Amino acid sequence: MKRVIYFFIMLLLSSNIAHTADKRILVEQFTSAGTGYCVDGTYILDELIKKYPDKVIVVNHHINDGMSTEQSQTLYNVFGASSLPTAALNRLDFTGKVANGENPYLIDRTLWLSNVQELLKETPAAEVLCSWYYDEIANKIKVFVISSLVKNLSYQQSLNAVVIENNVVGSGAGFDQKNSYAGLKGYEKHPYYNKPATIVGFQHNSVERLTVAGLWGDKLNIKKTGFTGESYQWSFVIDVPKTPSGNPVNMNNVDIIGYSSINETNKYDILNCAKGIKEIPKTTFLYSTNGTTHYVNDKVTINMKIDNQSDIDNNYDVVIETQGYGAKNWLVNVEKSNFAINSGQSASFNIDITPKSQGMKKIRVVLKDKDNNTFYSFTDISVYNTETEKLAILNLSDNMYKNLNELDNANINDFIWLMSDDYSTFGTNFPNSKLILMDNSDFNSLSVVSPTLFNDITSTGKKLFIIGNKIGANSKSIPKLLSFWSGLGFKYNEQYTKFDELVNNTLSIKGYKGDPISDGSQMTLIPSETSKEYSTYGITDFNKVRPVYSISKDPNSIISFRTLLNNQRVLFSAFNFFNIQDEDQRFEYINKSIDWLMDGLGEDQPHLSILTKNLNFNLVELGKSDTMGIAIKNNGNKSLQLTSQTLVSETSEYVVVQPLVNKSVNPGDSIIYQIRFTPISKNQSIGYFFLKANDPYRDSIAVTFSGKGRTSVEDDLQVHSTISISPNPVTQSAQITVFFENNMQNVIVNLIDIQGRPIKQISNGDFLKGNYKFNLSTDDLNSGSYFIQMTNDVSTLSQPIIINK
């Protein structure tokens, strides 16, 4: 029987004859050992399989127990599940078939049978066949999935497979099944009524261990518009999946489910599926004999081999498809691309790949028939240039490659991307790396280990670029992360969810004038597919942290900022590249961000630095001047031309800045600017002095100044004011009366002891001429002699007071 099946597989691959297909339903149940009502889901699925043994295929995604995988948890979140058990049927959208408010992708268990029966009446769009075997010597699983269309398909098709395990038994709360039907009144006929409330040693079946090509499958070289009779094969080799909780996979209990699905935004329909036949197939293999991953700084030769293990002689073409997000100008040379190979025979050829720039090149070597119609096999080859300076660390996400795709579109082709585990293993292969992009995409938040990772990266001389719209999610519960942020000079706020509903659910953000990245620009953000939230922050120390973008309607909500860690530049961006709506703005943001990070100074300060940023002239006598100097130093490594200076003040006629000329400042040199303040009235003067140099990646130098004018005679407290105290001596309380003949500024009224030490402040501020009364309580004072003292910038006036309690 198995021989007949594989003959049929080969017939599919070599012809385009339409045929009918068996409809099968993939039921993906979300379940948990810790949820007592999940035994009812198990019972219903067991009955479904008995009723339709060849039509219903079950995969159990475990949530928050000892069998839960990251992929199952992610799928649970993507479908918006909120209770257990529930199930997706062929990942279809049941909008219009469920009640308002119900999740259209997840069907209540009371409706599984009726919906399966309705779906089985439909004709599938594809026939799917699957075969697999386990190579015990190599400890590898080899799988083949074949899809042959029986209907024209206008959507993008992808192929995938899921590894499931039966008879999974473990110990403890992560495996022992809770049973809410134990002795439950009204359910006496339920098969779990007489079972204990916790079933120890419960056998879990169809447990998802690995979805091989990610949640949405591999598009391969499949055309988006598919036509009846077209066939595609997907072959892959994987390690035996690792499992949580020390519960290793038993290969004797493993099944493989192959399926074909739609791979479009927000459309996941599974076209058809099949349970894999376990046998070594007779088909064609294409593989690299010297490995599929290479770290080089020069040309590498890759040895390829084709094994025709089918029962027929075949003619093959080798087709090279360039993938990845690396350099575009590398040379790829195929020694030979046409082969005639008899049944049971092999052929070899070489592929030369020459790095022409930094980055990586990923190629897919595809084996087809002589007319490039029938797909047989493929192998992915990755070549990394070890001289690369920019690495991207990826975390698992449905959009994990989208940011890198945008880098490529922006003509930044010298990035190498690595999964987070690969970075810790292979990061040392890139000794010249200078910038690490941590891509958390639209799903992953920072964790308790993030501060340690940030320190490790920057302490080795690397800049850091952290992106992802949810990088702050869950931070409130991570004290180590909050403390780390506080030390840098900022704090995490709540996630920002106030989209502009009138503008297509978008979010407007605004940059900061003079910032080397945003420079006052405005951008519109669109939500990610799986998240409509952005993390926002508050700045507590603007000397340590520079805001780049904030929410337009809420300027205190910072969504992007830059800082310094271990003397290396760090840029946090709580949005992804692909969240930026306008493509031109997207590319500009990417380029300016990387320009700033890679500038090479190794410190987040301007080339021009200043020690004093605030000048307070206090009170300057009218008609006279006070001068204060500021030193501007070039701390950079190149000579700078001072290009402009600007004075901003409503009372700028009071202020003169010298020198007025622009000049060059060599590395290490300084120039002294004198700011002279000459008040002509007693009004408060506040202003700013800006100085810019010819450096495109630096803010201008800004100096704040303030001061007031005064006349010495008018402000003399001893001449123009009095103090009276009643009663004096005082027992419990006294009334202090102060009289000013003129308006007075910066007056402080204190109670002091006989040594002149301040005991209590009674008042302070500016006063108009007139009488002022203050109450003084003696409850917290000891008996003795004191003074009521009044001071300003000109003089001091005192009056003795005796406390006798």
Side-chain angles (χ1 to χ4, degrees), residues 51-284:
K51 188 175 183 66
Y52 302 105
D54 299 322
K55 303 293 186 181
V56 173
I57 296 175
V58 173
V59 173
N60 284 317
H61 294 280
H62 280 256
I63 306 300
N64 297 327
D65 65 14
M67 294 156 283
S68 177
T69 66
E70 189 171 4
Q71 287 177 319
S72 289
Q73 292 281 168
T74 300
L75 192 63
Y76 181 78
N77 294 331
V78 168
F79 282 146
S82 58
S83 62
L84 300 171
T86 187
L89 308 182
N90 274 356
R91 298 186 180 178
L92 293 173
D93 183 349
F94 285 87
T95 298
K97 298 181 181 180
V98 295
N100 289 336
E102 291 186 9
N103 191 312
Y105 288 101
L106 300 172
I107 305 302
D108 185 82
R109 61 187 184 277
T110 60
L111 302 175
W112 291 351
L113 173 61
S114 60
N115 278 283
V116 164
Q117 289 174 331
E118 287 299 312
L119 291 175
L120 286 175
K121 296 176 184 178
E122 301 174 357
T123 301
E127 174 66 293
V128 173
L129 298 171
C130 177
S131 64
W132 69 282
Y133 71 98
Y134 172 49
D135 187 337
E136 294 186 41
I137 297 177
N139 196 32
K140 303 282 187 182
I141 301 173
K142 300 184 179 181
V143 184
F144 305 86
V145 180
I146 299 170
S147 172
S148 182
L149 293 178
V150 295
K151 291 182 179 179
N152 293 341
L153 184 68
S154 60
Y155 296 105
Q156 176 66 60
Q157 182 188 184
S158 66
L159 301 181
N160 209 342
V162 57
V163 180
I164 62 174
E165 184 179 0
N166 300 304
N167 303 321
V168 177
V169 178
S171 60
F175 297 90
D176 296 337
Q177 181 65 55
K178 297 292 184 182
N179 175 23
S180 295
Y181 291 86
L184 184 63
K185 187 176 180 179
Y187 290 85
E188 289 79 4
K189 294 185 179 181
H190 196 282
Y192 285 87
Y193 178 81
N194 293 316
K195 302 286 186 181
T198 299
I199 306 174
V200 178
F202 189 87
Q203 287 190 345
H204 300 274
N205 291 316
S206 302
V207 177
E208 188 264 1
R209 293 305 201 182
L210 177 70
T211 304
V212 179
L215 294 179
W216 316 121
D218 197 326
K219 300 175 185 178
L220 299 170
N221 59 328
I222 300 175
K223 294 179 295 184
K224 182 169 183 176
T225 301
F227 296 97
T228 301
E230 291 182 345
S231 297
Y232 298 92
Q233 176 185 344
W234 184 62
S235 59
F236 60 88
V237 179
I238 61 169
D239 295 321
V240 175
K242 296 179 180 179
T243 58
S245 304
N247 185 253
V249 168
N250 183 343
M251 285 304 302
N252 293 321
N253 298 328
V254 163
D255 282 324
I256 307 290
I257 310 300
Y259 60 91
S260 166
S261 64
I262 291 174
N263 193 331
E264 298 274 7
T265 301
N266 296 325
K267 190 169 182 62
Y268 320 106
D269 307 25
I270 290 177
L271 303 176
N272 212 344
C273 59
K275 186 175 180 180
I277 304 297
K278 188 176 181 181
E279 183 186 60
I280 300 177
K282 292 186 178 299
T283 185
T284 304

Side-chain angles (χ1 to χ4, degrees), residues 429-661:
N429 288 334
F430 307 99
N432 297 323
S433 59
K434 295 179 180 178
L435 171 63
I436 302 296
L437 168 65
M438 292 195 64
D439 183 1
N440 287 55
S441 194
D442 58 350
F443 180 75
N444 296 282
S445 58
L446 301 182
S447 69
V448 68
V449 300
S450 297
T452 301
L453 182 60
F454 296 163
N455 270 308
D456 289 345
I457 289 173
T458 55
S459 63
T460 55
K462 299 175 179 61
K463 283 82 172 175
L464 188 57
F465 193 0
I466 302 102
I467 58 175
N469 57 299
K470 296 188 73 173
I471 55 176
N474 306 319
S475 295
K476 294 287 187 181
S477 59
I478 307 177
K480 184 176 181 180
L481 190 56
L482 295 179
S483 176
F484 171 78
W485 284 348
S486 177
L488 284 182
F490 62 96
K491 61 183 179 180
Y492 172 66
N493 295 331
E494 298 295 338
Q495 286 175 293
Y496 195 94
T497 57
K498 301 174 184 176
F499 287 89
D500 251 339
E501 295 182 357
L502 298 179
V503 193
N504 299 321
N505 206 29
T506 59
L507 189 67
S508 175
I509 62 175
K510 185 176 182 180
Y512 287 77
K513 191 68 176 177
D515 181 79
I517 298 171
S518 61
D519 195 21
S521 62
Q522 288 188 306
M523 294 196 302
T524 299
L525 301 182
I526 55 177
S528 300
E529 293 177 13
T530 59
S531 174
K532 294 185 177 181
E533 297 176 329
Y534 294 103
S535 300
T536 57
Y537 303 83
I539 307 301
T540 58
D541 190 337
F542 283 83
N543 290 321
K544 293 182 179 180
V545 182
R546 305 286 180 86
V548 177
Y549 279 100
S550 63
I551 307 298
S552 296
K553 289 187 175 182
D554 184 4
N556 292 323
S557 293
I558 309 300
I559 197 169
S560 176
F561 55 91
R562 51 196 176 90
T563 185
L564 186 70
L565 181 61
N566 294 319
N567 214 31
Q568 299 299 321
R569 294 182 179 192
V570 181
L571 177 60
F572 283 81
S573 180
F575 55 88
N576 299 285
F577 301 146
F578 57 82
N579 290 136
I580 303 172
Q581 187 175 55
D582 183 82
E583 186 176 59
D584 291 337
Q585 289 184 326
R586 191 183 312 152
F587 296 162
E588 183 178 13
Y589 177 74
I590 290 172
N591 280 282
K592 284 191 172 182
S593 297
I594 293 175
D595 281 344
W596 177 77
L597 284 161
M598 294 295 289
D599 187 56
L601 291 182
E603 54 190 359
D604 186 27
Q605 64 178 21
H607 281 114
L608 299 180
S609 67
I610 182 173
L611 198 58
T612 302
K613 296 186 178 181
N614 297 288
L615 300 182
N616 185 1
F617 289 95
N618 294 318
L619 291 173
V620 179
E621 189 173 342
L622 296 178
K624 297 185 178 180
S625 299
D626 191 7
T627 301
M628 301 181 74
I630 55 172
I632 309 293
K633 184 177 181 180
N634 181 356
N635 287 324
N637 54 12
K638 61 182 179 181
S639 181
L640 293 175
Q641 177 71 35
L642 305 180
T643 57
S644 67
Q645 53 190 21
T646 306
L647 192 66
V648 179
S649 173
E650 293 181 359
T651 54
S652 57
E653 69 272 14
Y654 298 173
V655 183
V656 175
V657 179
Q658 295 177 327
L660 295 176
V661 296

Side-chain angles (χ1 to χ4, degrees), residues 13-14 284 306 312-319 337-341 366-376:
L13 291 173
S14 57
T284 304
I306 305 171
I312 59 175
D313 299 340
N314 260 320
N315 292 320
Y316 303 96
D317 279 352
V318 172
V319 179
S337 58
N338 307 108
F339 299 89
I341 307 176
V366 182
L367 200 62
K368 296 188 176 184
D369 68 10
K370 61 181 179 180
D371 296 320
N372 286 331
N373 290 327
T374 303
F375 169 72
Y376 286 95

